[in-house]
Amino acid sequence: MVTRQDNKVEVRRQHLKTMTSSRGELAPAVAKAREIWSRGRKPQSVRVRRSFVVRDSPAGAVVDERKPLPREERPLSAQMITPKGLTLKLELLLLFAAQCAVAPGSRWPAPYPIEPTPDNPDSWMGLVATIAKHTPPTNYAADASTNKARQIAQALKALEKMNLVHSATGVPGQVRRGIKLRCENGKSTFAAPVIYRVPTDDEQFFDIPVEFFTQGWVHVLTTSEIAALLMWLDITKAVGRQVKLRGEEEPPSIIGFVNSETRHSYYGLGRETYETHKQLSAFGLMDVHRHDKRYMDGKWEGFATQNEDMVCHRIELLTAGLGREPAPILSKVLEQRQLTGSWYRPVGWQRPA
């Protein structure tokens, strides 16, 4: 029997095939990101203020551990988790492009337009990879390019409602005429905007390795996987522990963990998003170190309901894995998921150096 999960995986496989086909958008978007990086400031990572992913104070006790907070109570990154839509991916691409353009402490005076112009070949159309399709002739026909521009405009309008961008004209909704960036810390309001400046060394931020953009992972991961990855990047920088895991000749690894209370009340992520560690591990972006008293499905031996951090999975990020081309990895992993119903790393996978 074909399950709903099987259908989702098959749809994802087909989307990946479309994006990587000879006329697909993944390769051009990756090429544009590398071009912008190479002629810009060449940041090795993209700085993201912590308040984009984590609340300043807890939202309250967990009522149902499997459900996230109401959307309006979540951090901005968790609010952007949707089955479809470009909002989270576009926001991160905005930060990437800004930090390629200007130094820490500086504002980006001229963000790209949605579509390229003769005077400005850089655009969000070029940096974003979608699967926008051609609409056959009907009462209203639109080609793939028009549909893609509409998707990007919708994402920018969503960011505008979150006070993360505003139209260059000052009139709400006119994002097609240009945008200005607002700070990703969630403190902006329509009446009192906080202009975006690249985080400086003395601010609280975490780093996204630049390969997340220049290899195209931002385009192929789901928003749930991206939101979870952002949480782990924040946790391993803020509260990670250096632990010897393998041979003594190797340097200590940075290990992070999160209990359900913190994940729910601070990061606004439900259990379903948390469990994307299975996919992220299969893709080679993290190692999950499971306590020997935990079963594979996450249950604790003896059905104990302890909350100490000792029972949590330990997550070791393999950020070097972002340096690999994602499409071949995802293609193999998704195929294995279809065949076995489980998330496994591809045969022959080797730990990134």
Side-chain angles (χ1 to χ4, degrees), residues 33-297:
R34 292 175 179 176
E35 175 195 334
I36 288 171
W37 180 85
S38 64
R39 59 178 161 81
R41 296 185 56 81
K42 297 184 177 65
Q44 297 305 302
S45 63
V46 172
R47 296 177 171 185
V48 182
R49 290 176 173 87
R50 291 196 67 213
S51 47
F52 181 66
V53 301
V54 61
R55 289 171 53 98
D56 295 331
S57 59
V62 177
V63 177
D64 186 341
E65 192 268 334
R66 288 188 171 270
K67 293 183 179 179
L69 296 172
R71 187 170 296 275
E72 66 276 5
E73 295 182 23
R74 304 178 204 171
L76 289 172
S77 62
Q79 292 183 34
M80 299 178 191
I81 298 174
T82 57
K84 298 180 181 180
L86 297 173
T87 312
L88 178 56
K89 298 181 180 187
L90 184 55
E91 169 65 14
L92 296 177
L93 285 165
L94 284 165
L95 302 183
F96 163 76
Q99 294 182 36
C100 286
V102 297
S106 301
R107 59 182 295 182
W108 189 20
Y112 305 142
I114 291 179
E115 300 178 79
T117 66
D119 296 328
N120 189 356
D122 299 326
S123 68
W124 304 120
M125 290 281 285
L127 266 175
V128 170
T130 71
I131 52 169
K133 298 179 180 179
H134 170 71
T135 303
T138 58
N139 292 334
Y140 177 79
D143 61 20
S145 179
T146 301
N147 280 331
K148 179 178 180 179
R150 185 182 301 116
Q151 288 183 30
I152 294 172
Q154 289 173 344
L156 287 173
K157 288 178 181 179
L159 293 174
E160 185 180 39
K161 289 181 179 179
M162 295 179 175
N163 288 303
L164 291 170
V165 303
H166 66 280
S167 65
T169 65
V171 179
Q174 292 187 349
V175 293
R176 286 183 177 270
R177 300 189 182 184
I179 60 169
K180 299 295 183 182
L181 271 60
R182 290 179 175 174
C183 187
E184 81 276 30
N185 64 3
K187 308 301 182 184
S188 283
T189 66
F190 180 76
V194 181
I195 302 302
Y196 176 80
R197 296 179 185 275
V198 177
T200 56
D201 292 346
D202 58 351
E203 295 186 69
Q204 290 195 351
F205 61 85
F206 63 92
D207 300 275
I208 303 176
V210 73
E211 291 82 7
F212 179 76
F213 304 96
T214 57
Q215 290 287 9
W217 289 94
V218 64
H219 306 296
V220 300
L221 296 181
T222 67
T223 53
S224 290
E225 290 163 356
I226 292 173
L229 181 60
L230 296 181
M231 176 185 73
W232 290 119
L233 287 167
D234 177 63
I235 286 174
T236 52
K237 180 170 184 176
V239 296
R241 298 176 178 176
Q242 289 194 334
V243 179
K244 284 284 188 181
L245 291 174
R246 293 171 295 279
E248 287 299 314
E249 72 282 358
E250 298 186 43
S253 298
I254 302 298
I255 301 299
F257 59 86
V258 64
N259 59 35
S260 62
E261 190 76 31
T262 299
R263 167 175 52 80
H264 183 284
S265 296
Y266 282 93
Y267 291 93
L269 301 182
R271 182 63 178 265
E272 184 175 355
T273 299
Y274 169 74
E275 290 185 345
T276 60
H277 64 68
K278 298 174 184 177
Q279 294 98 290
L280 295 173
S281 175
F283 300 154
L285 301 183
M286 63 173 56
D287 271 340
V288 181
H289 301 278
R290 181 173 54 88
H291 194 285
D292 57 10
K293 288 188 177 182
R294 272 196 183 276
Y295 299 112
M296 291 300 292
D297 63 2

